[in-house]
Amino acid sequence: IQRQESEGEVVEDGDGDGDGEIEDFEEDTPAPTMEEDIEVDDKLELLKEHKEVKMTKVSSADEFKAQGDGKMEENKMNGCDVTKGKWVYDESYPLYTNGSCPFIDEGFNCGTNGRQDRDYMKWKWQPQNCDFPRFNAAKMLDLISGKRLVFVGDSINRNQWESMLCMLMLAVKDPKKVYETHGRRITKERGNYSFKFVDYKCTIEYYVSHFLVHESKARIRQKRRPTLRIDAIDHGSSKWKGADILVFNTAHWWSHFKTKAGLVPLSNCGSSSLVMINYYQEGNQVHPKLDASTAFRKALMTWAGWVDRHINPRKTRVFFRNLAPSHFRGGLWNAGGHCMEATWPLNDTSGMEYPEKNRIVEEVILQMKTPVTLLNVTGLSAYRIDGHPSIYGKKPGTRYSSNIQDCSHWCLPGVPDTWNEILFFHLQSKEKS
């Protein structure tokens, strides 16, 4: 990870095409088994002629259960649990196209990059026991009129932020009245953006923060080495203050290949587990050994403390989106893992375990005094193996230059649009109440 101090932004090592953030859905340490396996009510029915079929049931999923004492604001609003439902084929989707939205960066622009099939754009998430309102860009813009909607997190949050920009453009009459306040073009190399919607006096912002805590350096054995200050909030946090709606995430980089330079097996200690050596830092102490789950919990407690100290819940609504699963088959992201063949959602996800990181997020949120709404997208996204860029995360002519496929990020239009529909649902429900 390289930091450009002049811009205050993080640039990934390597080719900068986003492959660095790809990871397997499976955790480095086994996650607890789900209390209930997902039940599939309806088998996937292959559509012979899509033009003749308006909507086809795919599958239904039991909720990936959140643990807690009920203090956390869950995905239930007005009796509607958006985590339970099924994907249905809907010809009226997508809400926008690659051509109609100028904000999709190369890594997510699968259609422009040569992907020929279009079915992955046509799936709509339908909650089980309630009507899920279709995203209404005009109403969303009214909800955030005069406000700051801020996304903070890794490139999966950039995925969702770009989706939100595209969805909001549906209601904009004059595209020239939407612009980046610093004149920046969206690329993977930059991490701070603020788009102003002039007619609505609102901004839609994104700030890169892979871990939510501070990426630093410390002197170890006469050399300055990268560390992660799990006791200090990201130095960009001053930009998050004053937001009216905050959407946080972090997960993928916590088992990221680049942070494993100090990862070694404890076989010499009679253990087969992996730990970080000389990477996580608290104060002046650089831990010689600390597992990623412990560090992740400590970092989230640091984030939670910052939120409780600096966020006024009467002004700011706080969301935390949990882990969006990857779908690598046949190997890890850097060892031949692939998803290119997938053009339809899975019809069964019962073999996937509820991620340990999600449970840690839930436990930390329960200890906070600031209300935080959990955007639990893990279960519904687990079906969507078809929604990843795979080899189409690069422009034609360059996508085959690497054997690494992107089965971690998401094509746009695509699955992140549903995450934003859920966000819209929560904001609208809160407004009504």
Side-chain angles (χ1 to χ4, degrees):
I1 303 169
Q2 300 175 340
R3 180 176 296 278
Q4 292 183 342
E5 296 184 359
S6 61
E7 294 286 346
E9 297 152 354
V10 174
V11 180
E12 299 173 25
D13 283 334
D15 56 16
D17 63 1
D19 291 333
E21 293 198 40
I22 304 171
E23 67 164 2
D24 195 359
F25 177 53
E26 297 177 359
E27 302 291 338
D28 293 330
T29 56
T33 303
M34 286 168 41
E35 295 183 14
E36 290 184 327
D37 287 338
I38 295 178
E39 298 177 359
V40 180
D41 294 335
D42 301 304
K43 296 293 184 179
L44 181 63
E45 298 176 3
L46 296 178
L47 300 180
K48 295 182 179 180
E49 294 293 335
H50 292 162
K51 294 181 180 180
E52 298 177 2
V53 182
K54 292 293 184 181
M55 188 176 293
T56 300
K57 292 183 180 180
V58 177
S59 52
S60 64
D62 282 347
E63 175 186 11
F64 278 71
K65 292 186 175 179
Q67 304 298 313
D69 59 6
K71 296 179 182 178
M72 179 171 54
E73 185 175 353
E74 268 295 341
N75 289 294
K76 297 179 180 180
M77 293 293 286
N78 298 331
C80 182
D81 183 356
V82 296
T83 64
K84 291 183 179 180
K86 56 179 176 283
W87 289 98
V88 296
Y89 193 89
D90 190 333
E91 286 282 6
S92 67
Y93 276 71
L95 300 173
Y96 58 92
T97 66
N98 299 83
S100 68
C101 182
F103 305 123
I104 306 174
D105 78 49
E106 179 185 327
F108 312 143
N109 206 340
C110 303
T112 301
N113 291 343
R115 182 166 179 174
Q116 296 298 315
D117 65 294
R118 293 291 185 267
D119 291 336
Y120 70 93
M121 302 180 184
K122 298 290 187 180
W123 298 102
K124 172 187 176 182
W125 179 250
Q126 178 60 57
Q128 183 174 309
N129 297 316
C130 52
D131 292 328
F132 192 52
R134 186 182 180 89
F135 185 84
N136 187 310
K139 287 185 178 180
M140 181 66 180
L141 283 168
D142 286 338
L143 285 174
I144 62 176
S145 179
K147 299 179 180 180
R148 293 177 60 203
L149 169 56
V150 175
F151 292 82
V152 180
D154 56 31
S155 64
I156 310 295
N157 238 24
R158 191 180 80 238
N159 227 168
Q160 184 176 358
W161 168 75
E162 290 183 22
S163 163
M164 178 61 77
L165 287 175
C166 291
M167 295 168 78
L168 292 179
M169 287 299 289
L170 296 169
V172 173
K173 296 179 180 178
D174 185 358
K176 294 181 180 179
K177 291 188 176 181
V178 178
Y179 60 89
E180 209 285 319
T181 55
H182 300 95
R184 295 172 176 170
R185 183 176 62 87
I186 299 175
T187 69
K188 293 179 177 60
E189 285 71 33
R190 291 188 179 275
N192 298 336
Y193 297 96
S194 176
F195 275 82
K196 187 174 184 64
F197 286 67
V198 175
D199 289 340
Y200 295 88
K201 300 179 181 179
C202 65
T203 55
I204 315 298
E205 305 169 38
Y206 167 70
Y207 299 100
V208 64
S209 181
H210 302 117
F211 304 98
L212 300 182
V213 290
H214 179 50
E215 298 174 53
S216 183
K217 286 187 176 181
R219 186 171 296 281
I220 303 171
R221 299 187 184 94
Q222 308 306 315
K223 292 184 178 181
R224 286 185 61 79
R225 301 183 181 277
T227 62
L228 192 63
R229 283 288 306 272
I230 54 179
D231 62 336
I233 198 69
D234 190 311
H235 285 185
S237 59
S238 60
K239 299 182 178 70
W240 317 340
K241 292 181 181 179
D244 299 276
I245 304 165
L246 275 166
V247 182
F248 291 98
N249 96 298
T250 185
H252 288 262
W253 279 65
W254 287 92
S255 55
H256 192 285
F257 181 76
K258 292 175 184 174
T259 65
K260 293 181 180 178
L263 191 67
V264 298
L266 291 180
S267 54
N268 295 335
C269 304
S271 171
S272 60
S273 39
L274 298 172
V275 295
M276 296 297 300
I277 302 297
N278 294 328
Y279 182 70
Y280 299 116
Q281 180 181 357
E282 290 183 277
N284 293 324
Q285 179 188 6
V286 179
H287 293 284
K289 297 175 183 178
L290 189 66
D291 67 271
S293 295
T294 301
F296 182 69
R297 184 183 295 275
K298 286 176 175 285
L300 279 183
M301 292 297 292
T302 298
W303 164 81
W306 181 88
V307 170
D308 282 342
R309 288 192 302 273
H310 296 285
I311 297 301
N312 180 358
R314 287 173 293 189
K315 168 183 170 53
T316 303
R317 185 87 186 273
V318 181
F319 294 85
F320 196 104
R321 180 183 53 73
N322 63 7
L323 188 143
S326 302
H327 290 90
F328 291 95
R329 298 292 180 263
L332 301 178
W333 70 270
N334 60 343
H338 58 87
C339 56
M340 180 178 64
E341 301 83 359
T343 57
W344 286 76
L346 298 172
N347 66 347
D348 185 9
T349 61
S350 58
M352 293 185 180
E353 295 176 332
Y354 194 61
E356 181 188 20
K357 293 188 184 75
N358 282 5
R359 297 189 184 279
I360 294 173
V361 167
E362 292 157 8
E363 291 165 5
V364 169
I365 289 176
L366 285 171
Q367 300 176 41
M368 298 173 65
K369 67 179 182 181
T370 305
V372 175
T373 302
L374 178 68
L375 295 179
N376 192 347
V377 305
T378 304
L380 62 93
S381 303
Y383 288 97
R384 297 305 307 279
I385 187 174
D386 60 317
H388 299 290
S390 182
I391 63 171
Y392 301 107
K394 298 179 181 179
K395 292 180 180 178
T398 62
R399 64 177 185 270
Y400 297 109
S401 61
S402 171
N403 61 356
I404 294 178
Q405 295 190 20
D406 187 347
C407 305
S408 183
H409 299 91
W410 304 88
C411 295
L412 294 180
V415 174
D417 303 334
T418 297
W419 306 345
N420 282 324
E421 287 188 291
I422 294 174
L423 176 62
F424 170 65
F425 170 73
H426 279 288
L427 292 172
Q428 195 175 33
S429 299
K430 188 74 171 181
E431 189 75 12
K432 290 179 179 179
S433 63

